[in-house]
Amino acid sequence: MRRRCYSLLKFRLITCIVAVFALSRSGLSAENEQVRWTPDIVFATVADEPLKLNLARPASGDGPFPVIVCIHGGGFSGGRREDYDDLCRKFAARGFAAATIDYRLSPKHRWPAHIYDCKASIRWLRAHAAEYRLDPDKIGAMGSSAGGHLSQFLAVTNDVQEFVGDHTHLDQSSKVNCVAAWAQASDFTREYGVWKEAPEAFKGFLGADLTAQTRRLHVRASPLFWVTPNAAPTLLVHGTADQDVLFVQSVWIHERLLSAEVETHLVPIEGGGHGLTGAHLHQAEQATFEFFEQQFQLKK
């Protein structure tokens, strides 16, 4: 009797495992039917260092599709483009094309190499728009932490030649139409004493920590001080409990953008920390999807 019960239990357990596996494969297949995934595209080679992007696009539809460039975080010295693979697939399932990109990292590379590479990726996407059914007139950017800073910096330097860089399709525009910046520091001079790793991080990123002599260097790398009426519309998403980059950093640039009469929206994630997870991450993603859908008039 015990053997029979054990055998029955074992059979049911195996059946459940097979069913769960089948459902997960079914979900994966459904996603693959919605999304066309093209990884490891080299968009630039700088001093023999290849920079790549992973591209997600809707599997159906003629396009051209609005494009979102996803820029990973990691304190300017870490992180991987693969960190945003899943988010790119989510964008593609909603009718966007989305690219998650490499950029050169510190301390090997100093500012402004990071922003040069972000702008280069945008120019590459425009140059290859016809090949991948992309809309060259509808390109946005998003990112969190360092990626949020780089996204915001793109928005406020659309018309600043200094940060274009000197590689990759210089005949194309590196302009973005709108950005979503999560947990970004708009003023680097006020990260000291807040983020415990600031002195070491900025020494690797900018080549120096904050002194009276290097303050100008920090100011010029901070999005807050580049805001003009020409800045791109911006969504700011920030956890109110962020202890690495204080929520007020987003308040400062939100107010500066408003003063310049630039469209801007601030979404506080109540109780959210620096790295958003769970319900906080879902809230940030939903706000971001809705913002880009509205900006690019993408009907759902």
Side-chain angles (χ1 to χ4, degrees), residues 18-288:
V18 171
V20 170
F21 179 76
L23 284 171
S24 66
R25 294 297 299 172
S26 175
L28 183 61
S29 298
E31 180 186 81
N32 288 343
E33 288 174 3
Q34 285 185 289
V35 176
R36 181 171 297 172
W37 181 248
T38 311
D40 303 320
I41 301 171
V42 176
F43 71 83
T45 301
V46 187
D48 297 323
E49 184 174 342
L51 300 174
K52 299 179 180 181
L53 62 82
N54 298 340
L55 181 64
R57 293 170 290 152
S60 61
D62 296 330
F65 304 109
V67 188
I68 310 301
V69 177
C70 299
I71 309 173
H72 69 78
F76 304 99
S77 62
R80 310 174 309 145
R81 73 178 185 279
E82 291 84 359
D83 295 343
Y84 275 141
D85 281 355
D86 287 345
L87 184 60
C88 284
R89 290 186 174 98
K90 290 179 183 179
F91 271 119
R94 300 177 77 98
F96 296 92
T100 177
I101 66 169
D102 289 336
Y103 55 91
R104 286 171 290 171
L105 299 175
S106 299
K108 181 179 179 181
H109 301 285
R110 299 271 170 80
W111 178 261
H114 319 70
I115 197 67
Y116 287 171
D117 298 343
C118 293
K119 287 180 180 273
S121 74
I122 293 164
R123 295 194 298 273
W124 186 94
L125 289 164
R126 281 203 166 93
H128 293 83
E131 178 182 353
Y132 291 100
R133 295 186 297 165
L134 311 177
D135 190 335
D137 297 321
K138 293 182 178 180
I139 298 182
M142 68 78 55
S144 182
S145 192
H149 166 274
L150 292 167
S151 297
Q152 186 67 77
F153 208 88
L154 288 172
V156 297
T157 59
N158 267 336
D159 55 350
V160 180
Q161 188 67 25
E162 175 182 343
F163 296 108
V164 168
D166 57 3
H167 67 83
T168 311
H169 295 292
L170 294 175
D171 59 322
Q172 299 289 331
S173 169
S174 51
K175 178 181 179 179
V176 291
N177 300 96
C178 51
V179 304
W182 300 6
Q184 56 88 46
S186 60
D187 183 354
F188 283 159
T189 69
R190 290 191 269 191
E191 269 298 281
Y192 290 83
V194 175
W195 183 31
K196 63 182 179 180
E197 298 176 21
E200 181 180 354
F202 285 117
K203 189 174 290 185
F205 174 57
L206 297 176
D209 60 12
L210 185 63
T211 66
Q213 290 71 36
T214 65
R215 179 178 175 80
R216 180 175 173 80
L217 179 64
H218 286 68
V219 165
R220 291 184 63 77
S222 299
L224 184 70
F225 302 103
W226 290 97
V227 173
T228 71
N230 293 328
T234 297
L235 172 71
L236 297 155
V237 177
H238 212 130
T240 60
D242 191 337
Q243 296 302 305
D244 293 321
V245 180
L246 298 183
F247 174 73
V248 71
Q249 286 271 9
S250 284
V251 174
W252 293 330
I253 197 162
H254 177 62
E255 292 176 346
R256 186 70 61 88
L257 288 163
L258 287 175
S259 295
E261 298 187 343
V262 175
E263 181 183 351
T264 177
H265 309 273
L266 176 60
V267 176
I269 306 295
E270 294 297 334
H274 189 62
L276 300 173
T277 59
H280 292 147
L281 177 60
H282 178 73
Q283 182 183 352
E285 287 183 347
Q286 286 302 117
T288 300

